[in-house]
Amino acid sequence: MAALRYAGLDDTDSEDELPPGWEQRTTKDGWVYYANHTEEKTQWEHPKTGKRKRIAGDLPYGWEQETDENGQVFFVDHINKRTTYLDPRLAFTVDDNPTKPTTRQRYDGSTTAMEILQGRDLSGKVVVVTGANSGIGFETAKSFALHGAHVILACRNMTRANEAVSRILGEWHKAKVEAMTLDLALLRSVQHFAQAFKAKNVSLHVLVCNAAVFGLPWTLTKDGLETTFQVNHLGHFYLVQLLQDVLCRSAPARVVVVSSESHRFTDINDSSGKLDFSRLSPSKNDYWAMLAYNRSKLCNILFSNELHRRLSPRGVTSNAVHPGNMMYSALHRGWWVYTLLFTLARPFTKSMGERQDLMARKKGRMMASEQTLLCT
């Protein structure tokens, strides 16, 4: 990870680009000033725009402000083990004398989670991510961990989960990250995970229901339910119910359910408009892999909406997130036809890191609201 990119300093804007011989600096209390080395003078106004600026937000996680023997402020990046006299927040300043709002979009389809969370210190926050050993889940867990959160990777395959933990620690050796066993295809495993988590006596600020399967042939779990329905929806539903009391005690907290636009291409009602439970966990003769996936995603959204209605008065919000059309991941591994389809579509899809800006952007807005209201 490049230190300047992590700090956001590679994000330039032509309007704010300084003329040759000028340098941008900051005071201890967060005001920006400009040094003209040619004329050996300083000023508060930008030499091109005439605007005054100040720093917005806290230092990114892993950074610390210090003062040298000459009284000049410098910054230590403990993650990349380097120092700089450039304030890492300079790419995210705000105008002291704002003018007409600009239409320039700050984030777009290529923005990554690390860029969205830049400047957020999530120290003290506890995050659980299901299916976090690869793909979307891994990028989610890594992004939170590299910003100070205590992250738990809830995975079925512990070998791969521990490898994922090692990869995150390889980027930041002080990251608070661990793996715990969770098999959503076995309700007893969900119960054991909840019991083990509660035994830690920690809070739970974010629960990301990410794990999913796609394109599986018809199979039943040991609980006697169709696998896609149980893994994608029912297992997460049960997990949230078991951890609901912890979420409420940890408020403000939130649940993020990774869903899909494919929920639009199915229904779970019969011809008379009533809920048809047989469609949720169909028999082998009535099973089609794509429809099973679509219905599980519809259940995700209905569940998230109702969960928000019930728990938001207690400080727990719930949001369903669509990760992006045909986003390339390992989700297609159930059948070679889907693997071929996703491979052909890969050049036109978002990367894992880019997809993470959706959840991170929502998380960033919520954290900013918390810091304003609760001074956390």
Side-chain angles (χ1 to χ4, degrees), residues 3-168:
L4 292 181
R5 181 165 181 79
Y6 180 79
L9 295 180
D10 63 338
D11 181 17
T12 62
D13 188 301
S14 57
E15 182 188 57
D16 291 335
E17 186 175 353
L18 291 171
W22 285 82
E23 181 186 358
Q24 189 173 219
R25 296 177 179 175
T26 57
T27 64
K28 291 182 180 180
D29 52 358
W31 290 98
V32 178
Y33 68 98
Y34 303 91
N36 185 335
H37 295 292
T38 303
E39 300 180 9
E40 297 184 352
K41 68 176 184 179
T42 61
Q43 63 186 55
W44 294 110
E45 295 78 14
H46 190 286
K48 289 177 64 176
T49 66
K51 297 177 181 178
R52 292 193 178 196
K53 293 190 175 184
R54 56 185 173 82
I55 293 298
D58 300 324
L59 285 169
Y61 179 71
W63 287 76
E64 186 177 5
Q65 178 179 297
E66 296 185 7
T67 305
D68 63 18
E69 57 186 11
N70 298 319
Q72 188 170 354
V73 175
F74 68 97
F75 302 88
V76 180
D77 176 5
H78 293 290
I79 292 180
N80 294 288
K81 298 181 177 60
R82 63 186 70 190
T83 61
T84 176
Y85 283 91
L86 287 176
D87 190 319
R89 297 167 294 177
L90 280 174
F92 302 94
T93 57
V94 295
D95 292 342
D96 181 43
N97 50 345
T99 56
K100 193 159 105 180
T102 178
T103 58
R104 181 173 182 265
Q105 183 173 307
R106 183 169 182 178
Y107 303 123
D108 56 30
S110 63
T111 306
T112 66
M114 294 300 292
E115 292 168 338
I116 295 293
L117 289 177
Q118 194 278 335
R120 302 290 179 191
D121 185 353
L122 303 183
S123 300
K125 303 298 181 182
V126 180
V127 180
V128 171
V129 183
T130 68
N133 58 281
S134 63
I136 298 173
F138 174 76
E139 293 294 334
T140 302
K142 181 180 75 171
S143 298
F144 282 132
L146 293 182
H147 285 83
H150 175 188
V151 182
I152 295 174
L153 283 64
C155 306
R156 177 179 58 85
N157 187 321
M158 287 305 292
T159 299
R160 295 180 62 187
N162 287 324
E163 290 174 353
V165 168
S166 297
R167 288 166 61 192
I168 295 174

